[in-house]
Amino acid sequence: MDIRNVMEDLVKTVVDELFDAEAKEKRLGYCTCDQCKHDVACYVLNRVKPEYIVSSRGLAYSEREGLDKVQRQADVISLVREGWGKVSHAPRQTTAHYGAEPETAPVHDEGPAYNFPTIMGRVFDGRNFAPLGEGRVRLLEGGAEVQMVDPNWQNPFVLAGATAGTYIFWPRTVSGQEGGGGRRWNFEIRVEVPGFDALSHFAVIDLSPEREARADFSLQRVHKVPDLYLFPEGQADEDI
Ligand SMILES: [Zn+2]
């Protein structure tokens, strides 16, 4: 099944555009770092009604014009501003904001490169489906923590703040060999929340080498992990 949430496309596009404009013009005085961008996108996506379509019909949808579309866009823009204001006033402690130390530009190697998507998902309390607001999520490969693209990205990711339950990683680009082909990565996403049984989810990502390392950040390149549900320690094991 190829099903898409068109609201997600709209929110990502609007957030990308508004952050790009703010980075250039600095009219709002809000932080435009990658972490805040993701936090704002999550804030909005958690507050709009999803709208699912079969992917092959995407074109028909995008051709739909009129007041409905304009209104929808206006709603998203106002939610972005609302969320951005909140995120900017209570930014994550672990991130360097407003381009402060350390430099926000990702450090990359030259040449053929395996560029990772960001890896994103949510964790919930399996009893009541509430998002989990504390604990940590680790991205592992072969049992070791995966290096992030720059120090603004956390691994382990600490669950906290306005975007409770959401975690996100952006692994550092890996240099490709000359003439190298596609490669497969087996990642383990390990969730540890006090009072709950730890849970591991395994994600497989296949990548082809690209000519250059990507330094630009886009919300359009995301590997989405299915929602994960944790249960209190001692309850029956739930394999997801
Ligand atoms: Zn920020």
Side-chain angles (χ1 to χ4, degrees):
M1 272 200 302
D2 204 1
I3 291 177
R4 240 173 69 213
N5 174 9
V6 289
M7 287 309 286
E8 197 180 309
D9 299 341
L10 175 61
V11 169
K12 286 175 182 171
T13 305
V14 168
V15 168
D16 269 338
E17 282 172 4
L18 292 181
F19 269 67
D20 283 352
E22 172 68 7
K24 282 193 205 104
E25 298 159 20
K26 307 207 183 301
R27 281 170 46 202
L28 299 169
Y30 290 160
C31 179
T32 55
C33 81
D34 295 343
Q35 184 71 63
C36 286
K37 194 179 199 178
H38 265 108
D39 283 348
V40 170
C42 290
Y43 179 92
V44 178
L45 281 168
N46 283 331
R47 282 164 181 78
V48 294
K49 214 171 115 225
E51 218 174 288
Y52 296 100
I53 57 156
V54 176
S55 247
S56 53
R57 292 191 189 150
L59 196 64
Y61 177 89
S62 66
E63 282 167 358
R64 221 168 84 190
E65 293 291 329
L67 200 60
D68 187 34
K69 190 177 166 187
V70 173
Q71 183 57 50
R72 194 196 316 259
Q73 195 147 6
D75 291 345
V76 168
I77 289 172
S78 101
L79 269 174
V80 169
R81 285 177 183 260
E82 180 186 304
W84 206 351
K86 284 194 178 18
V87 167
S88 279
H89 285 117
R92 288 172 188 273
Q93 303 277 311
T94 44
T95 304
H97 295 275
Y98 295 99
E101 274 285 307
E103 243 305 299
T104 49
V107 182
H108 285 302
D109 305 308
E110 294 289 318
Y114 295 99
N115 295 306
F116 291 92
T118 51
I119 298 169
M120 184 176 187
R122 299 188 72 197
V123 290
F124 298 90
D125 183 335
R127 296 166 301 177
N128 55 14
F129 309 110
L132 288 166
E134 61 167 332
R136 53 184 206 156
V137 184
R138 292 194 293 160
L139 184 69
L140 305 168
E141 192 203 3
E145 272 164 14
V146 176
Q147 235 194 326
M148 296 292 101
V149 76
D150 69 37
N152 289 326
W153 292 77
Q154 336 164 32
N155 187 16
F157 187 97
V158 178
L159 296 168
T163 56
T166 302
Y167 62 86
I168 180 136
F169 298 104
W170 192 12
R172 186 190 165 99
T173 293
V174 170
S175 286
Q177 303 300 313
E178 277 299 322
R183 251 191 75 181
R184 166 163 291 186
W185 273 264
N186 293 292
F187 288 125
E188 177 182 356
I189 292 149
R190 182 146 183 91
V191 189
E192 295 159 341
V193 177
F196 288 78
D197 278 332
L199 179 74
S200 282
H201 174 88
F202 296 89
V204 175
I205 295 183
D206 290 315
L207 291 178
S208 300
E210 292 173 63
R211 182 182 287 273
E212 286 177 354
R214 286 167 62 93
D216 58 320
F217 172 80
S218 168
L219 281 166
Q220 311 293 337
R221 251 168 92 109
V222 179
H223 176 89
K224 274 178 70 179
V225 177
D227 292 343
L228 301 176
Y229 297 91
L230 271 70
F231 291 88
E233 277 168 348
Q235 290 200 2
D237 279 353
E238 205 84 3
D239 285 322
I240 298 174

PDB file of all heavy atoms in Angstrom, residues 43-67:
ATOM      1  N   TYR A  43       5.590  19.967  16.195  1.00  0.00           N
ATOM      2  CA  TYR A  43       4.550  20.705  16.909  1.00  0.00           C
ATOM      3  C   TYR A  43       3.315  20.865  16.019  1.00  0.00           C
ATOM      4  O   TYR A  43       2.187  20.611  16.441  1.00  0.00           O
ATOM      5  CB  TYR A  43       5.098  22.079  17.316  1.00  0.00           C
ATOM      6  CG  TYR A  43       4.106  22.958  18.050  1.00  0.00           C
ATOM      7  CD1 TYR A  43       4.039  22.943  19.444  1.00  0.00           C
ATOM      8  CD2 TYR A  43       3.242  23.802  17.356  1.00  0.00           C
ATOM      9  CE1 TYR A  43       3.124  23.736  20.124  1.00  0.00           C
ATOM     10  CE2 TYR A  43       2.323  24.597  18.018  1.00  0.00           C
ATOM     11  CZ  TYR A  43       2.274  24.566  19.401  1.00  0.00           C
ATOM     12  OH  TYR A  43       1.363  25.353  20.065  1.00  0.00           O
ATOM     13  N   VAL A  44       3.554  21.263  14.779  1.00  0.00           N
ATOM     14  CA  VAL A  44       2.425  21.491  13.866  1.00  0.00           C
ATOM     15  C   VAL A  44       1.765  20.164  13.483  1.00  0.00           C
ATOM     16  O   VAL A  44       0.540  20.035  13.523  1.00  0.00           O
ATOM     17  CB  VAL A  44       2.891  22.240  12.596  1.00  0.00           C
ATOM     18  CG1 VAL A  44       1.735  22.444  11.631  1.00  0.00           C
ATOM     19  CG2 VAL A  44       3.504  23.592  12.981  1.00  0.00           C
ATOM     20  N   LEU A  45       2.581  19.163  13.151  1.00  0.00           N
ATOM     21  CA  LEU A  45       2.013  17.873  12.713  1.00  0.00           C
ATOM     22  C   LEU A  45       1.194  17.207  13.809  1.00  0.00           C
ATOM     23  O   LEU A  45       0.248  16.476  13.524  1.00  0.00           O
ATOM     24  CB  LEU A  45       3.131  16.935  12.254  1.00  0.00           C
ATOM     25  CG  LEU A  45       3.633  17.236  10.841  1.00  0.00           C
ATOM     26  CD1 LEU A  45       4.918  16.490  10.548  1.00  0.00           C
ATOM     27  CD2 LEU A  45       2.566  16.879   9.813  1.00  0.00           C
ATOM     28  N   ASN A  46       1.536  17.475  15.051  1.00  0.00           N
ATOM     29  CA  ASN A  46       0.754  16.905  16.154  1.00  0.00           C
ATOM     30  C   ASN A  46      -0.565  17.640  16.360  1.00  0.00           C
ATOM     31  O   ASN A  46      -1.384  17.234  17.180  1.00  0.00           O
ATOM     32  CB  ASN A  46       1.562  16.932  17.448  1.00  0.00           C
ATOM     33  CG  ASN A  46       2.603  15.830  17.471  1.00  0.00           C
ATOM     34  OD1 ASN A  46       2.409  14.782  16.867  1.00  0.00           O
ATOM     35  ND2 ASN A  46       3.715  16.075  18.151  1.00  0.00           N
ATOM     36  N   ARG A  47      -0.758  18.743  15.644  1.00  0.00           N
ATOM     37  CA  ARG A  47      -1.954  19.551  15.858  1.00  0.00           C
ATOM     38  C   ARG A  47      -2.857  19.683  14.642  1.00  0.00           C
ATOM     39  O   ARG A  47      -3.910  20.298  14.719  1.00  0.00           O
ATOM     40  CB  ARG A  47      -1.549  20.941  16.360  1.00  0.00           C
ATOM     41  CG  ARG A  47      -1.182  20.908  17.832  1.00  0.00           C
ATOM     42  CD  ARG A  47      -0.425  22.149  18.266  1.00  0.00           C
ATOM     43  NE  ARG A  47      -0.073  22.046  19.671  1.00  0.00           N
ATOM     44  CZ  ARG A  47       0.930  21.319  20.151  1.00  0.00           C
ATOM     45  NH1 ARG A  47       1.694  20.634  19.325  1.00  0.00           N
ATOM     46  NH2 ARG A  47       1.166  21.258  21.449  1.00  0.00           N
ATOM     47  N   VAL A  48      -2.428  19.170  13.505  1.00  0.00           N
ATOM     48  CA  VAL A  48      -3.311  19.210  12.339  1.00  0.00           C
ATOM     49  C   VAL A  48      -3.870  17.815  12.084  1.00  0.00           C
ATOM     50  O   VAL A  48      -3.256  16.811  12.432  1.00  0.00           O
ATOM     51  CB  VAL A  48      -2.594  19.726  11.062  1.00  0.00           C
ATOM     52  CG1 VAL A  48      -2.193  21.172  11.211  1.00  0.00           C
ATOM     53  CG2 VAL A  48      -1.399  18.850  10.732  1.00  0.00           C
ATOM     54  N   LYS A  49      -5.044  17.798  11.495  1.00  0.00           N
ATOM     55  CA  LYS A  49      -5.665  16.513  11.177  1.00  0.00           C
ATOM     56  C   LYS A  49      -4.960  15.914   9.968  1.00  0.00           C
ATOM     57  O   LYS A  49      -4.821  16.571   8.941  1.00  0.00           O
ATOM     58  CB  LYS A  49      -7.146  16.744  10.854  1.00  0.00           C
ATOM     59  CG  LYS A  49      -8.037  15.603  11.287  1.00  0.00           C
ATOM     60  CD  LYS A  49      -9.503  15.978  11.147  1.00  0.00           C
ATOM     61  CE  LYS A  49     -10.131  15.097  10.095  1.00  0.00           C
ATOM     62  NZ  LYS A  49     -10.979  15.765   9.144  1.00  0.00           N
ATOM     63  N   PRO A  50      -4.485  14.670  10.085  1.00  0.00           N
ATOM     64  CA  PRO A  50      -3.844  14.069   8.903  1.00  0.00           C
ATOM     65  C   PRO A  50      -4.858  13.857   7.793  1.00  0.00           C
ATOM     66  O   PRO A  50      -6.046  13.720   8.062  1.00  0.00           O
ATOM     67  CB  PRO A  50      -3.321  12.724   9.427  1.00  0.00           C
ATOM     68  CG  PRO A  50      -4.095  12.433  10.652  1.00  0.00           C
ATOM     69  CD  PRO A  50      -4.541  13.754  11.228  1.00  0.00           C
ATOM     70  N   GLU A  51      -4.382  13.887   6.580  1.00  0.00           N
ATOM     71  CA  GLU A  51      -5.262  13.673   5.433  1.00  0.00           C
ATOM     72  C   GLU A  51      -4.580  12.696   4.497  1.00  0.00           C
ATOM     73  O   GLU A  51      -3.599  13.032   3.845  1.00  0.00           O
ATOM     74  CB  GLU A  51      -5.507  15.007   4.735  1.00  0.00           C
ATOM     75  CG  GLU A  51      -6.911  15.152   4.220  1.00  0.00           C
ATOM     76  CD  GLU A  51      -7.125  16.545   3.683  1.00  0.00           C
ATOM     77  OE1 GLU A  51      -7.196  17.494   4.486  1.00  0.00           O
ATOM     78  OE2 GLU A  51      -7.184  16.659   2.455  1.00  0.00           O
ATOM     79  N   TYR A  52      -5.084  11.482   4.464  1.00  0.00           N
ATOM     80  CA  TYR A  52      -4.404  10.433   3.724  1.00  0.00           C
ATOM     81  C   TYR A  52      -4.946  10.270   2.312  1.00  0.00           C
ATOM     82  O   TYR A  52      -6.148  10.374   2.090  1.00  0.00           O
ATOM     83  CB  TYR A  52      -4.522   9.104   4.465  1.00  0.00           C
ATOM     84  CG  TYR A  52      -3.828   9.137   5.794  1.00  0.00           C
ATOM     85  CD1 TYR A  52      -4.544   9.323   6.977  1.00  0.00           C
ATOM     86  CD2 TYR A  52      -2.442   9.026   5.867  1.00  0.00           C
ATOM     87  CE1 TYR A  52      -3.895   9.379   8.202  1.00  0.00           C
ATOM     88  CE2 TYR A  52      -1.790   9.072   7.085  1.00  0.00           C
ATOM     89  CZ  TYR A  52      -2.523   9.254   8.247  1.00  0.00           C
ATOM     90  OH  TYR A  52      -1.886   9.316   9.447  1.00  0.00           O
ATOM     91  N   ILE A  53      -4.022  10.036   1.398  1.00  0.00           N
ATOM     92  CA  ILE A  53      -4.422   9.752   0.015  1.00  0.00           C
ATOM     93  C   ILE A  53      -3.587   8.579  -0.497  1.00  0.00           C
ATOM     94  O   ILE A  53      -2.535   8.281   0.047  1.00  0.00           O
ATOM     95  CB  ILE A  53      -4.196  10.950  -0.935  1.00  0.00           C
ATOM     96  CG1 ILE A  53      -2.720  11.374  -0.892  1.00  0.00           C
ATOM     97  CG2 ILE A  53      -5.099  12.105  -0.605  1.00  0.00           C
ATOM     98  CD1 ILE A  53      -2.269  12.101  -2.126  1.00  0.00           C
ATOM     99  N   VAL A  54      -4.076   7.931  -1.529  1.00  0.00           N
ATOM    100  CA  VAL A  54      -3.260   6.945  -2.228  1.00  0.00           C
ATOM    101  C   VAL A  54      -2.263   7.734  -3.061  1.00  0.00           C
ATOM    102  O   VAL A  54      -2.621   8.664  -3.770  1.00  0.00           O
ATOM    103  CB  VAL A  54      -4.137   6.057  -3.124  1.00  0.00           C
ATOM    104  CG1 VAL A  54      -3.274   5.095  -3.926  1.00  0.00           C
ATOM    105  CG2 VAL A  54      -5.141   5.296  -2.269  1.00  0.00           C
ATOM    106  N   SER A  55      -0.993   7.387  -2.920  1.00  0.00           N
ATOM    107  CA  SER A  55       0.083   8.172  -3.515  1.00  0.00           C
ATOM    108  C   SER A  55      -0.114   8.462  -4.997  1.00  0.00           C
ATOM    109  O   SER A  55       0.160   9.555  -5.464  1.00  0.00           O
ATOM    110  CB  SER A  55       1.414   7.451  -3.325  1.00  0.00           C
ATOM    111  OG  SER A  55       2.212   8.194  -2.462  1.00  0.00           O
ATOM    112  N   SER A  56      -0.572   7.479  -5.759  1.00  0.00           N
ATOM    113  CA  SER A  56      -0.691   7.656  -7.204  1.00  0.00           C
ATOM    114  C   SER A  56      -1.706   8.744  -7.549  1.00  0.00           C
ATOM    115  O   SER A  56      -1.728   9.236  -8.662  1.00  0.00           O
ATOM    116  CB  SER A  56      -1.103   6.336  -7.853  1.00  0.00           C
ATOM    117  OG  SER A  56      -2.262   5.833  -7.217  1.00  0.00           O
ATOM    118  N   ARG A  57      -2.543   9.107  -6.575  1.00  0.00           N
ATOM    119  CA  ARG A  57      -3.528  10.162  -6.838  1.00  0.00           C
ATOM    120  C   ARG A  57      -3.043  11.526  -6.355  1.00  0.00           C
ATOM    121  O   ARG A  57      -3.798  12.478  -6.318  1.00  0.00           O
ATOM    122  CB  ARG A  57      -4.850   9.828  -6.149  1.00  0.00           C
ATOM    123  CG  ARG A  57      -5.517   8.627  -6.775  1.00  0.00           C
ATOM    124  CD  ARG A  57      -6.919   8.464  -6.273  1.00  0.00           C
ATOM    125  NE  ARG A  57      -7.447   7.175  -6.739  1.00  0.00           N
ATOM    126  CZ  ARG A  57      -8.343   6.467  -6.096  1.00  0.00           C
ATOM    127  NH1 ARG A  57      -8.829   6.916  -4.951  1.00  0.00           N
ATOM    128  NH2 ARG A  57      -8.773   5.336  -6.573  1.00  0.00           N
ATOM    129  N   GLY A  58      -1.788  11.592  -5.991  1.00  0.00           N
ATOM    130  CA  GLY A  58      -1.237  12.833  -5.446  1.00  0.00           C
ATOM    131  C   GLY A  58      -1.395  14.013  -6.381  1.00  0.00           C
ATOM    132  O   GLY A  58      -1.682  15.119  -5.962  1.00  0.00           O
ATOM    133  N   LEU A  59      -1.231  13.740  -7.658  1.00  0.00           N
ATOM    134  CA  LEU A  59      -1.290  14.804  -8.649  1.00  0.00           C
ATOM    135  C   LEU A  59      -2.673  15.446  -8.668  1.00  0.00           C
ATOM    136  O   LEU A  59      -2.807  16.662  -8.643  1.00  0.00           O
ATOM    137  CB  LEU A  59      -0.945  14.240 -10.030  1.00  0.00           C
ATOM    138  CG  LEU A  59      -0.607  15.298 -11.073  1.00  0.00           C
ATOM    139  CD1 LEU A  59       0.657  16.046 -10.650  1.00  0.00           C
ATOM    140  CD2 LEU A  59      -0.389  14.635 -12.433  1.00  0.00           C
ATOM    141  N   ALA A  60      -3.698  14.577  -8.703  1.00  0.00           N
ATOM    142  CA  ALA A  60      -5.071  15.079  -8.717  1.00  0.00           C
ATOM    143  C   ALA A  60      -5.294  15.986  -7.513  1.00  0.00           C
ATOM    144  O   ALA A  60      -5.901  17.045  -7.627  1.00  0.00           O
ATOM    145  CB  ALA A  60      -6.058  13.916  -8.700  1.00  0.00           C
ATOM    146  N   TYR A  61      -4.742  15.565  -6.376  1.00  0.00           N
ATOM    147  CA  TYR A  61      -4.935  16.363  -5.177  1.00  0.00           C
ATOM    148  C   TYR A  61      -4.271  17.734  -5.318  1.00  0.00           C
ATOM    149  O   TYR A  61      -4.857  18.754  -5.030  1.00  0.00           O
ATOM    150  CB  TYR A  61      -4.370  15.638  -3.953  1.00  0.00           C
ATOM    151  CG  TYR A  61      -4.509  16.480  -2.729  1.00  0.00           C
ATOM    152  CD1 TYR A  61      -5.660  16.403  -1.945  1.00  0.00           C
ATOM    153  CD2 TYR A  61      -3.517  17.390  -2.370  1.00  0.00           C
ATOM    154  CE1 TYR A  61      -5.809  17.195  -0.840  1.00  0.00           C
ATOM    155  CE2 TYR A  61      -3.669  18.185  -1.261  1.00  0.00           C
ATOM    156  CZ  TYR A  61      -4.806  18.089  -0.496  1.00  0.00           C
ATOM    157  OH  TYR A  61      -4.950  18.882   0.593  1.00  0.00           O
ATOM    158  N   SER A  62      -3.020  17.705  -5.786  1.00  0.00           N
ATOM    159  CA  SER A  62      -2.274  18.961  -5.817  1.00  0.00           C
ATOM    160  C   SER A  62      -2.872  19.941  -6.822  1.00  0.00           C
ATOM    161  O   SER A  62      -2.600  21.124  -6.770  1.00  0.00           O
ATOM    162  CB  SER A  62      -0.796  18.705  -6.118  1.00  0.00           C
ATOM    163  OG  SER A  62      -0.674  18.202  -7.425  1.00  0.00           O
ATOM    164  N   GLU A  63      -3.675  19.416  -7.726  1.00  0.00           N
ATOM    165  CA  GLU A  63      -4.310  20.303  -8.703  1.00  0.00           C
ATOM    166  C   GLU A  63      -5.562  20.966  -8.131  1.00  0.00           C
ATOM    167  O   GLU A  63      -6.122  21.872  -8.725  1.00  0.00           O
ATOM    168  CB  GLU A  63      -4.672  19.515  -9.972  1.00  0.00           C
ATOM    169  CG  GLU A  63      -3.458  19.271 -10.857  1.00  0.00           C
ATOM    170  CD  GLU A  63      -3.735  18.233 -11.930  1.00  0.00           C
ATOM    171  OE1 GLU A  63      -4.847  17.677 -11.953  1.00  0.00           O
ATOM    172  OE2 GLU A  63      -2.827  17.985 -12.727  1.00  0.00           O
ATOM    173  N   ARG A  64      -5.993  20.459  -6.992  1.00  0.00           N
ATOM    174  CA  ARG A  64      -7.174  21.041  -6.368  1.00  0.00           C
ATOM    175  C   ARG A  64      -6.823  22.457  -5.893  1.00  0.00           C
ATOM    176  O   ARG A  64      -5.859  22.651  -5.177  1.00  0.00           O
ATOM    177  CB  ARG A  64      -7.568  20.184  -5.164  1.00  0.00           C
ATOM    178  CG  ARG A  64      -9.060  19.996  -5.037  1.00  0.00           C
ATOM    179  CD  ARG A  64      -9.341  18.914  -4.035  1.00  0.00           C
ATOM    180  NE  ARG A  64      -9.333  19.446  -2.686  1.00  0.00           N
ATOM    181  CZ  ARG A  64      -9.365  18.683  -1.611  1.00  0.00           C
ATOM    182  NH1 ARG A  64      -9.381  17.394  -1.713  1.00  0.00           N
ATOM    183  NH2 ARG A  64      -9.364  19.229  -0.408  1.00  0.00           N
ATOM    184  N   GLU A  65      -7.579  23.396  -6.322  1.00  0.00           N
ATOM    185  CA  GLU A  65      -7.270  24.775  -5.955  1.00  0.00           C
ATOM    186  C   GLU A  65      -8.400  25.357  -5.125  1.00  0.00           C
ATOM    187  O   GLU A  65      -9.338  24.658  -4.760  1.00  0.00           O
ATOM    188  CB  GLU A  65      -7.077  25.626  -7.220  1.00  0.00           C
ATOM    189  CG  GLU A  65      -5.857  25.252  -8.026  1.00  0.00           C
ATOM    190  CD  GLU A  65      -4.549  25.612  -7.325  1.00  0.00           C
ATOM    191  OE1 GLU A  65      -4.524  26.609  -6.567  1.00  0.00           O
ATOM    192  OE2 GLU A  65      -3.564  24.892  -7.526  1.00  0.00           O
ATOM    193  N   GLY A  66      -8.297  26.616  -4.840  1.00  0.00           N
ATOM    194  CA  GLY A  66      -9.430  27.310  -4.250  1.00  0.00           C
ATOM    195  C   GLY A  66      -9.271  27.664  -2.784  1.00  0.00           C
ATOM    196  O   GLY A  66      -8.218  27.484  -2.191  1.00  0.00           O
ATOM    197  N   LEU A  67     -10.354  28.150  -2.229  1.00  0.00           N
ATOM    198  CA  LEU A  67     -10.380  28.687  -0.881  1.00  0.00           C
ATOM    199  C   LEU A  67      -9.934  27.669   0.159  1.00  0.00           C
ATOM    200  O   LEU A  67      -9.194  27.970   1.081  1.00  0.00           O
ATOM    201  CB  LEU A  67     -11.811  29.150  -0.578  1.00  0.00           C
ATOM    202  CG  LEU A  67     -11.954  30.146   0.572  1.00  0.00           C
ATOM    203  CD1 LEU A  67     -11.169  31.408   0.272  1.00  0.00           C
ATOM    204  CD2 LEU A  67     -13.433  30.480   0.777  1.00  0.00           C
TER     205      LEU A  67
END
